[in-house]
Every structure is written in structure tokens, then in C-alpha cells.
Amino acid sequence: MHLAYPVVLSALLFCTGLYGVLARRNAILLLMSVELMLNAVNLNLVAFDVWLSRTAEETLHSGQALALFTIAIAAAEIGIGLAIVLAVHRNRGTANIDKLRDTAEGPGPDAPDGPSGSGGPGGAASDSDDAPTTRAAVTKAEATA
């Protein structure tokens, strides 16, 4: 078997995982994409180990041993990552990365209502002019409603 076949398959798997990391906003899909990238690396390690063991007199199979270590690390990463995602989902009610990033950023030093001080995470003001902008105004509006 030629070395090009597993290398091309590995490149396709890695690119698919990279697209998933860059484009997806769900934390579970992000973890799955990272796992896909690690599996592409494992495929490369085993393919090059087999290819090099044909030419070398001593066969240490270090690529296969390294692939086993990578699988063990990936299993631990998925276990811990999934536990964190489930805990965050229970607390916040979502696994969307963008929403979690917005809630993780606290208010700025001079802005009591958000990180940008203008009512929204992107720095744009709110569309409605009569919307309350501070926590005190929100609680006052809830008390009167």
C-alpha cells in the first residue's frame, strides 16, 4: 500500500476537524472536532510507522506506541471536557460557545450594564430607546410591572 492513501485520508480528516473547530459554536461539536483532528494525527503516526518499519532493520514501532498515548490523552480530554460542558449546560442552560463567552466577561470598570458600556456585546446601542440600561432600572421596571 502506498503512503499517499492514509496521508490524504488523514489530511481530509484533519481539515474536517479544523473546519468544525472554527465554524461550530456548540461545545460538544467542538470537542468532537478536536477528537477528529487527534484521530487524523494518530492515522499519520501509524502510517508513517508502518512505512518506516519496512525500511529499517530494527522495528521499534514508536509511532504506534505514540498513537496509543495520544488515544489515552484524548480519552481523558473528552471525559473531562464533557463533564465541564455538562456542568456549564446545567448552570447556564446552553452549550453555545458565543453565549458562554458573553456571560463569562464581566462588566467593564465604567459600565454597569455590560462589557462595552452601550447596552450590547458588540458595542452597538439597543434598538429600543425606552429600554432600561442599568440593573437598578431593570429591577424598578420589574417592580412597577
PDB file of all heavy atoms in Angstrom, residues 47-75:
ATOM      1  N   ALA A  47       0.624   5.231  10.051  1.00  0.00           N
ATOM      2  CA  ALA A  47       1.008   5.058   8.642  1.00  0.00           C
ATOM      3  C   ALA A  47       2.506   5.264   8.448  1.00  0.00           C
ATOM      4  O   ALA A  47       3.163   4.476   7.752  1.00  0.00           O
ATOM      5  CB  ALA A  47       0.221   6.022   7.768  1.00  0.00           C
ATOM      6  N   PHE A  48       3.059   6.292   9.056  1.00  0.00           N
ATOM      7  CA  PHE A  48       4.497   6.530   8.910  1.00  0.00           C
ATOM      8  C   PHE A  48       5.317   5.488   9.657  1.00  0.00           C
ATOM      9  O   PHE A  48       6.424   5.144   9.231  1.00  0.00           O
ATOM     10  CB  PHE A  48       4.865   7.944   9.368  1.00  0.00           C
ATOM     11  CG  PHE A  48       4.655   8.977   8.304  1.00  0.00           C
ATOM     12  CD1 PHE A  48       3.545   9.797   8.321  1.00  0.00           C
ATOM     13  CD2 PHE A  48       5.561   9.107   7.269  1.00  0.00           C
ATOM     14  CE1 PHE A  48       3.344  10.735   7.339  1.00  0.00           C
ATOM     15  CE2 PHE A  48       5.366  10.050   6.267  1.00  0.00           C
ATOM     16  CZ  PHE A  48       4.255  10.862   6.306  1.00  0.00           C
ATOM     17  N   ASP A  49       4.781   4.974  10.761  1.00  0.00           N
ATOM     18  CA  ASP A  49       5.490   3.915  11.473  1.00  0.00           C
ATOM     19  C   ASP A  49       5.570   2.651  10.622  1.00  0.00           C
ATOM     20  O   ASP A  49       6.623   2.015  10.545  1.00  0.00           O
ATOM     21  CB  ASP A  49       4.794   3.618  12.795  1.00  0.00           C
ATOM     22  CG  ASP A  49       5.509   2.545  13.580  1.00  0.00           C
ATOM     23  OD1 ASP A  49       6.721   2.711  13.823  1.00  0.00           O
ATOM     24  OD2 ASP A  49       4.867   1.550  13.930  1.00  0.00           O
ATOM     25  N   VAL A  50       4.471   2.298   9.980  1.00  0.00           N
ATOM     26  CA  VAL A  50       4.485   1.108   9.106  1.00  0.00           C
ATOM     27  C   VAL A  50       5.412   1.337   7.923  1.00  0.00           C
ATOM     28  O   VAL A  50       6.170   0.459   7.519  1.00  0.00           O
ATOM     29  CB  VAL A  50       3.047   0.770   8.650  1.00  0.00           C
ATOM     30  CG1 VAL A  50       3.049  -0.265   7.542  1.00  0.00           C
ATOM     31  CG2 VAL A  50       2.241   0.278   9.828  1.00  0.00           C
ATOM     32  N   TRP A  51       5.374   2.541   7.364  1.00  0.00           N
ATOM     33  CA  TRP A  51       6.203   2.849   6.195  1.00  0.00           C
ATOM     34  C   TRP A  51       7.690   2.828   6.555  1.00  0.00           C
ATOM     35  O   TRP A  51       8.516   2.318   5.802  1.00  0.00           O
ATOM     36  CB  TRP A  51       5.807   4.201   5.626  1.00  0.00           C
ATOM     37  CG  TRP A  51       6.550   4.586   4.399  1.00  0.00           C
ATOM     38  CD1 TRP A  51       6.511   3.987   3.173  1.00  0.00           C
ATOM     39  CD2 TRP A  51       7.459   5.684   4.270  1.00  0.00           C
ATOM     40  NE1 TRP A  51       7.322   4.642   2.293  1.00  0.00           N
ATOM     41  CE2 TRP A  51       7.927   5.695   2.947  1.00  0.00           C
ATOM     42  CE3 TRP A  51       7.905   6.664   5.150  1.00  0.00           C
ATOM     43  CZ2 TRP A  51       8.821   6.630   2.485  1.00  0.00           C
ATOM     44  CZ3 TRP A  51       8.790   7.607   4.673  1.00  0.00           C
ATOM     45  CH2 TRP A  51       9.239   7.577   3.365  1.00  0.00           C
ATOM     46  N   LEU A  52       8.038   3.367   7.723  1.00  0.00           N
ATOM     47  CA  LEU A  52       9.439   3.395   8.135  1.00  0.00           C
ATOM     48  C   LEU A  52       9.929   2.040   8.628  1.00  0.00           C
ATOM     49  O   LEU A  52      11.119   1.737   8.531  1.00  0.00           O
ATOM     50  CB  LEU A  52       9.650   4.449   9.232  1.00  0.00           C
ATOM     51  CG  LEU A  52       9.558   5.894   8.764  1.00  0.00           C
ATOM     52  CD1 LEU A  52       9.656   6.840   9.949  1.00  0.00           C
ATOM     53  CD2 LEU A  52      10.629   6.205   7.748  1.00  0.00           C
ATOM     54  N   SER A  53       9.038   1.201   9.161  1.00  0.00           N
ATOM     55  CA  SER A  53       9.476  -0.104   9.642  1.00  0.00           C
ATOM     56  C   SER A  53       9.817  -1.048   8.498  1.00  0.00           C
ATOM     57  O   SER A  53      10.551  -2.014   8.693  1.00  0.00           O
ATOM     58  CB  SER A  53       8.406  -0.732  10.532  1.00  0.00           C
ATOM     59  OG  SER A  53       7.274  -1.078   9.759  1.00  0.00           O
ATOM     60  N   ARG A  54       9.328  -0.779   7.313  1.00  0.00           N
ATOM     61  CA  ARG A  54       9.696  -1.599   6.157  1.00  0.00           C
ATOM     62  C   ARG A  54      11.139  -1.351   5.744  1.00  0.00           C
ATOM     63  O   ARG A  54      11.807  -2.243   5.254  1.00  0.00           O
ATOM     64  CB  ARG A  54       8.776  -1.297   4.971  1.00  0.00           C
ATOM     65  CG  ARG A  54       7.387  -1.811   5.141  1.00  0.00           C
ATOM     66  CD  ARG A  54       6.578  -1.522   3.919  1.00  0.00           C
ATOM     67  NE  ARG A  54       5.179  -1.924   4.121  1.00  0.00           N
ATOM     68  CZ  ARG A  54       4.228  -1.663   3.281  1.00  0.00           C
ATOM     69  NH1 ARG A  54       4.480  -1.000   2.166  1.00  0.00           N
ATOM     70  NH2 ARG A  54       3.006  -2.056   3.528  1.00  0.00           N
ATOM     71  N   THR A  55      11.597  -0.130   5.932  1.00  0.00           N
ATOM     72  CA  THR A  55      12.953   0.212   5.507  1.00  0.00           C
ATOM     73  C   THR A  55      13.975  -0.002   6.612  1.00  0.00           C
ATOM     74  O   THR A  55      15.138  -0.226   6.338  1.00  0.00           O
ATOM     75  CB  THR A  55      13.012   1.673   5.038  1.00  0.00           C
ATOM     76  OG1 THR A  55      12.625   2.520   6.107  1.00  0.00           O
ATOM     77  CG2 THR A  55      12.095   1.885   3.846  1.00  0.00           C
ATOM     78  N   ALA A  56      13.579   0.094   7.867  1.00  0.00           N
ATOM     79  CA  ALA A  56      14.523  -0.045   8.982  1.00  0.00           C
ATOM     80  C   ALA A  56      14.703  -1.505   9.344  1.00  0.00           C
ATOM     81  O   ALA A  56      13.810  -2.328   9.186  1.00  0.00           O
ATOM     82  CB  ALA A  56      14.014   0.731  10.193  1.00  0.00           C
ATOM     83  N   GLU A  57      15.889  -1.817   9.843  1.00  0.00           N
ATOM     84  CA  GLU A  57      16.150  -3.186  10.262  1.00  0.00           C
ATOM     85  C   GLU A  57      15.537  -3.465  11.627  1.00  0.00           C
ATOM     86  O   GLU A  57      15.029  -4.550  11.878  1.00  0.00           O
ATOM     87  CB  GLU A  57      17.656  -3.436  10.294  1.00  0.00           C
ATOM     88  CG  GLU A  57      18.285  -3.389   8.922  1.00  0.00           C
ATOM     89  CD  GLU A  57      19.793  -3.552   8.991  1.00  0.00           C
ATOM     90  OE1 GLU A  57      20.310  -3.863  10.078  1.00  0.00           O
ATOM     91  OE2 GLU A  57      20.438  -3.357   7.971  1.00  0.00           O
ATOM     92  N   GLU A  58      15.606  -2.487  12.511  1.00  0.00           N
ATOM     93  CA  GLU A  58      15.010  -2.649  13.829  1.00  0.00           C
ATOM     94  C   GLU A  58      13.613  -2.039  13.804  1.00  0.00           C
ATOM     95  O   GLU A  58      13.428  -0.907  13.377  1.00  0.00           O
ATOM     96  CB  GLU A  58      15.849  -1.933  14.878  1.00  0.00           C
ATOM     97  CG  GLU A  58      17.236  -2.502  15.025  1.00  0.00           C
ATOM     98  CD  GLU A  58      18.028  -1.714  16.047  1.00  0.00           C
ATOM     99  OE1 GLU A  58      17.431  -0.891  16.750  1.00  0.00           O
ATOM    100  OE2 GLU A  58      19.230  -1.921  16.128  1.00  0.00           O
ATOM    101  N   THR A  59      12.661  -2.796  14.251  1.00  0.00           N
ATOM    102  CA  THR A  59      11.291  -2.289  14.281  1.00  0.00           C
ATOM    103  C   THR A  59      10.905  -1.987  15.718  1.00  0.00           C
ATOM    104  O   THR A  59      10.617  -2.888  16.503  1.00  0.00           O
ATOM    105  CB  THR A  59      10.326  -3.316  13.673  1.00  0.00           C
ATOM    106  OG1 THR A  59      10.463  -4.533  14.393  1.00  0.00           O
ATOM    107  CG2 THR A  59      10.605  -3.535  12.207  1.00  0.00           C
ATOM    108  N   LEU A  60      10.926  -0.728  16.076  1.00  0.00           N
ATOM    109  CA  LEU A  60      10.559  -0.310  17.424  1.00  0.00           C
ATOM    110  C   LEU A  60       9.077   0.010  17.540  1.00  0.00           C
ATOM    111  O   LEU A  60       8.525  -0.002  18.621  1.00  0.00           O
ATOM    112  CB  LEU A  60      11.381   0.915  17.837  1.00  0.00           C
ATOM    113  CG  LEU A  60      12.876   0.696  17.985  1.00  0.00           C
ATOM    114  CD1 LEU A  60      13.565   2.010  18.296  1.00  0.00           C
ATOM    115  CD2 LEU A  60      13.148  -0.311  19.083  1.00  0.00           C
ATOM    116  N   HIS A  61       8.454   0.322  16.430  1.00  0.00           N
ATOM    117  CA  HIS A  61       7.039   0.706  16.404  1.00  0.00           C
ATOM    118  C   HIS A  61       6.754   1.856  17.355  1.00  0.00           C
ATOM    119  O   HIS A  61       5.796   1.841  18.117  1.00  0.00           O
ATOM    120  CB  HIS A  61       6.139  -0.489  16.707  1.00  0.00           C
ATOM    121  CG  HIS A  61       6.268  -1.593  15.713  1.00  0.00           C
ATOM    122  ND1 HIS A  61       5.872  -1.449  14.400  1.00  0.00           N
ATOM    123  CD2 HIS A  61       6.764  -2.845  15.828  1.00  0.00           C
ATOM    124  CE1 HIS A  61       6.106  -2.569  13.751  1.00  0.00           C
ATOM    125  NE2 HIS A  61       6.666  -3.437  14.589  1.00  0.00           N
ATOM    126  N   SER A  62       7.600   2.857  17.312  1.00  0.00           N
ATOM    127  CA  SER A  62       7.419   4.003  18.202  1.00  0.00           C
ATOM    128  C   SER A  62       6.218   4.846  17.780  1.00  0.00           C
ATOM    129  O   SER A  62       5.588   5.485  18.628  1.00  0.00           O
ATOM    130  CB  SER A  62       8.679   4.863  18.223  1.00  0.00           C
ATOM    131  OG  SER A  62       9.009   5.274  16.914  1.00  0.00           O
ATOM    132  N   GLY A  63       5.880   4.844  16.504  1.00  0.00           N
ATOM    133  CA  GLY A  63       4.700   5.587  16.054  1.00  0.00           C
ATOM    134  C   GLY A  63       3.420   5.000  16.606  1.00  0.00           C
ATOM    135  O   GLY A  63       2.501   5.729  16.989  1.00  0.00           O
ATOM    136  N   GLN A  64       3.353   3.680  16.666  1.00  0.00           N
ATOM    137  CA  GLN A  64       2.163   3.038  17.211  1.00  0.00           C
ATOM    138  C   GLN A  64       2.065   3.244  18.722  1.00  0.00           C
ATOM    139  O   GLN A  64       0.970   3.433  19.264  1.00  0.00           O
ATOM    140  CB  GLN A  64       2.176   1.554  16.868  1.00  0.00           C
ATOM    141  CG  GLN A  64       2.020   1.311  15.378  1.00  0.00           C
ATOM    142  CD  GLN A  64       2.088  -0.157  15.014  1.00  0.00           C
ATOM    143  OE1 GLN A  64       1.982  -1.018  15.877  1.00  0.00           O
ATOM    144  NE2 GLN A  64       2.253  -0.431  13.740  1.00  0.00           N
ATOM    145  N   ALA A  65       3.194   3.226  19.403  1.00  0.00           N
ATOM    146  CA  ALA A  65       3.188   3.488  20.843  1.00  0.00           C
ATOM    147  C   ALA A  65       2.765   4.929  21.127  1.00  0.00           C
ATOM    148  O   ALA A  65       1.983   5.189  22.054  1.00  0.00           O
ATOM    149  CB  ALA A  65       4.564   3.224  21.429  1.00  0.00           C
ATOM    150  N   LEU A  66       3.248   5.862  20.321  1.00  0.00           N
ATOM    151  CA  LEU A  66       2.855   7.255  20.486  1.00  0.00           C
ATOM    152  C   LEU A  66       1.375   7.445  20.184  1.00  0.00           C
ATOM    153  O   LEU A  66       0.692   8.253  20.836  1.00  0.00           O
ATOM    154  CB  LEU A  66       3.713   8.148  19.583  1.00  0.00           C
ATOM    155  CG  LEU A  66       3.636   9.643  19.793  1.00  0.00           C
ATOM    156  CD1 LEU A  66       4.004  10.004  21.218  1.00  0.00           C
ATOM    157  CD2 LEU A  66       4.544  10.358  18.822  1.00  0.00           C
ATOM    158  N   ALA A  67       0.862   6.692  19.211  1.00  0.00           N
ATOM    159  CA  ALA A  67      -0.567   6.759  18.910  1.00  0.00           C
ATOM    160  C   ALA A  67      -1.394   6.259  20.083  1.00  0.00           C
ATOM    161  O   ALA A  67      -2.463   6.809  20.380  1.00  0.00           O
ATOM    162  CB  ALA A  67      -0.875   5.955  17.650  1.00  0.00           C
ATOM    163  N   LEU A  68      -0.929   5.230  20.779  1.00  0.00           N
ATOM    164  CA  LEU A  68      -1.646   4.745  21.956  1.00  0.00           C
ATOM    165  C   LEU A  68      -1.666   5.782  23.074  1.00  0.00           C
ATOM    166  O   LEU A  68      -2.681   5.972  23.749  1.00  0.00           O
ATOM    167  CB  LEU A  68      -1.026   3.444  22.461  1.00  0.00           C
ATOM    168  CG  LEU A  68      -1.327   2.205  21.620  1.00  0.00           C
ATOM    169  CD1 LEU A  68      -0.565   1.003  22.157  1.00  0.00           C
ATOM    170  CD2 LEU A  68      -2.808   1.924  21.610  1.00  0.00           C
ATOM    171  N   PHE A  69      -0.543   6.470  23.274  1.00  0.00           N
ATOM    172  CA  PHE A  69      -0.515   7.541  24.265  1.00  0.00           C
ATOM    173  C   PHE A  69      -1.471   8.673  23.869  1.00  0.00           C
ATOM    174  O   PHE A  69      -2.156   9.247  24.711  1.00  0.00           O
ATOM    175  CB  PHE A  69       0.901   8.091  24.444  1.00  0.00           C
ATOM    176  CG  PHE A  69       1.777   7.219  25.269  1.00  0.00           C
ATOM    177  CD1 PHE A  69       2.942   6.692  24.745  1.00  0.00           C
ATOM    178  CD2 PHE A  69       1.452   6.918  26.585  1.00  0.00           C
ATOM    179  CE1 PHE A  69       3.770   5.875  25.504  1.00  0.00           C
ATOM    180  CE2 PHE A  69       2.263   6.107  27.354  1.00  0.00           C
ATOM    181  CZ  PHE A  69       3.425   5.584  26.811  1.00  0.00           C
ATOM    182  N   THR A  70      -1.523   8.986  22.595  1.00  0.00           N
ATOM    183  CA  THR A  70      -2.425  10.033  22.124  1.00  0.00           C
ATOM    184  C   THR A  70      -3.877   9.640  22.325  1.00  0.00           C
ATOM    185  O   THR A  70      -4.709  10.472  22.692  1.00  0.00           O
ATOM    186  CB  THR A  70      -2.154  10.335  20.638  1.00  0.00           C
ATOM    187  OG1 THR A  70      -0.769  10.577  20.455  1.00  0.00           O
ATOM    188  CG2 THR A  70      -2.932  11.530  20.164  1.00  0.00           C
ATOM    189  N   ILE A  71      -4.196   8.372  22.107  1.00  0.00           N
ATOM    190  CA  ILE A  71      -5.559   7.900  22.336  1.00  0.00           C
ATOM    191  C   ILE A  71      -5.918   8.002  23.812  1.00  0.00           C
ATOM    192  O   ILE A  71      -7.035   8.413  24.166  1.00  0.00           O
ATOM    193  CB  ILE A  71      -5.714   6.458  21.813  1.00  0.00           C
ATOM    194  CG1 ILE A  71      -5.683   6.451  20.288  1.00  0.00           C
ATOM    195  CG2 ILE A  71      -7.002   5.826  22.312  1.00  0.00           C
ATOM    196  CD1 ILE A  71      -5.594   5.066  19.687  1.00  0.00           C
ATOM    197  N   ALA A  72      -4.992   7.657  24.689  1.00  0.00           N
ATOM    198  CA  ALA A  72      -5.256   7.752  26.128  1.00  0.00           C
ATOM    199  C   ALA A  72      -5.461   9.201  26.560  1.00  0.00           C
ATOM    200  O   ALA A  72      -6.371   9.511  27.349  1.00  0.00           O
ATOM    201  CB  ALA A  72      -4.105   7.132  26.906  1.00  0.00           C
ATOM    202  N   ILE A  73      -4.649  10.106  26.043  1.00  0.00           N
ATOM    203  CA  ILE A  73      -4.795  11.524  26.374  1.00  0.00           C
ATOM    204  C   ILE A  73      -6.103  12.069  25.814  1.00  0.00           C
ATOM    205  O   ILE A  73      -6.794  12.850  26.466  1.00  0.00           O
ATOM    206  CB  ILE A  73      -3.577  12.316  25.862  1.00  0.00           C
ATOM    207  CG1 ILE A  73      -2.351  11.953  26.698  1.00  0.00           C
ATOM    208  CG2 ILE A  73      -3.830  13.815  25.908  1.00  0.00           C
ATOM    209  CD1 ILE A  73      -1.058  12.511  26.153  1.00  0.00           C
ATOM    210  N   ALA A  74      -6.470  11.646  24.605  1.00  0.00           N
ATOM    211  CA  ALA A  74      -7.723  12.103  24.004  1.00  0.00           C
ATOM    212  C   ALA A  74      -8.923  11.606  24.798  1.00  0.00           C
ATOM    213  O   ALA A  74      -9.915  12.332  24.960  1.00  0.00           O
ATOM    214  CB  ALA A  74      -7.808  11.633  22.563  1.00  0.00           C
ATOM    215  N   ALA A  75      -8.860  10.381  25.310  1.00  0.00           N
ATOM    216  CA  ALA A  75      -9.965   9.861  26.115  1.00  0.00           C
ATOM    217  C   ALA A  75     -10.119  10.658  27.410  1.00  0.00           C
ATOM    218  O   ALA A  75     -11.236  10.979  27.822  1.00  0.00           O
ATOM    219  CB  ALA A  75      -9.736   8.386  26.414  1.00  0.00           C
TER     220      ALA A  75
END
